[in-house]
Amino acid sequence: MDKIGYMNLATLFYVYDPMCSWCWGYKPTWSFLEEQLKQQFPQLAIEYRLGGLAADTDELMPEEMEDFLQQTWRKISQQLGTQFNFDFWVKCQPRRATYPACRAVLLARDVGLEQSFYYALQQAYYLEARNPSDDATLVEIATELGMDSEAFAIALNSELTQARLLQEISQTRRLPIQGFPSLVMALNGELILIELDYKNAQTSFNQIEKLMQEVVIDS
């Protein structure tokens, strides 16, 4: 376990990428786990952290990558029962670029809509065959959530937003993660990787429950 400056605090980091298909598969379990943790441990802070799968590019996704991702979707569907709309691969021009979606989520975080934007983006991508690598799709989602679409569109590709994203990715990669999604708990100055079970929230809950007994309270 690594040291980190979170003394006397309990924080659970949910590490993800908005376009990570395994994060989509984990969504029902994570939503249930998150709600249970909030009810049982209100003193536990839960923070979302972006990992950043793929940097910006205007190049179309190579055919080999398309095949690999479609196979991944099928694997997740078979293992977890997750729904995917494969029309995406026909209707859209896929690019291996998740940084635009990550920047969009950062802007949504600024107005308290990170989770709403994240889940709306997943819906758009996996069920509605809309491309979250395209700025137009991200602006549409922002508009649907009542955000200032003009300000959002300007900030989406600004140097400041990109710098913020790169800083967060750098910080996230110092966590003891094992891909996306990952759960990491910062507890009394230590970083602990939480076991993640895609089908059973209880696995992670039991580990977190045990760790919460070790929370140090400042007197």
Side-chain angles (χ1 to χ4, degrees), residues 13-114:
F13 296 105
Y14 171 73
V15 182
Y16 74 104
D17 186 283
M19 293 178 64
C20 163
S21 51
W22 282 104
C23 294
W24 173 237
Y26 185 55
K27 180 183 181 296
T29 301
W30 166 241
S31 296
F32 179 79
L33 174 62
E34 183 179 29
E35 185 61 31
Q36 292 297 107
L37 291 173
K38 287 179 178 179
Q39 292 179 10
Q40 189 73 21
F41 307 111
Q43 72 274 36
L44 174 65
I46 299 176
E47 297 187 11
Y48 283 55
R49 287 293 179 266
L50 292 160
L53 271 173
D56 297 277
T57 181
D58 291 326
E59 295 182 6
L60 296 181
M61 189 180 294
E63 185 175 341
E64 296 79 8
M65 178 61 71
E66 282 197 32
D67 292 342
F68 171 77
L69 289 177
Q70 289 185 56
Q71 290 172 15
T72 300
W73 285 20
R74 292 189 182 95
K75 180 179 179 180
I76 295 170
S77 181
Q78 291 169 0
Q79 291 186 5
L80 306 177
T82 309
Q83 285 188 298
F84 291 92
N85 185 347
F86 283 82
D87 287 348
F88 172 83
W89 302 101
V90 178
K91 292 174 58 178
C92 298
Q93 294 184 313
R95 305 194 315 280
R96 184 61 172 165
T98 73
Y99 278 27
C102 290
R103 288 193 297 271
V105 169
L106 273 182
L107 296 175
R109 182 189 295 170
D110 291 341
V111 293
L113 291 173
E114 178 175 9

Side-chain angles (χ1 to χ4, degrees), residues 1-2 172-179 182-185 191-194:
M1 293 186 290
D2 299 323
T172 298
R173 289 177 179 173
R174 293 199 290 268
L175 297 173
I177 62 175
Q178 293 182 340
S182 282
L183 295 174
V184 177
M185 192 162 174
L191 286 172
I192 305 125
L193 181 66
I194 301 299

Side-chain angles (χ1 to χ4, degrees), residues 153-167:
I154 293 172
L156 183 59
N157 294 302
S158 72
E159 292 183 4
L160 175 60
T161 306
Q162 175 69 352
R164 289 177 57 199
L165 174 61
L166 294 179
Q167 181 182 32

Side-chain angles (χ1 to χ4, degrees), residues 137-148:
T137 299
L138 300 171
V139 173
E140 287 171 1
I141 295 171
T143 303
E144 291 162 7
L145 293 176
M147 298 175 64
D148 184 331

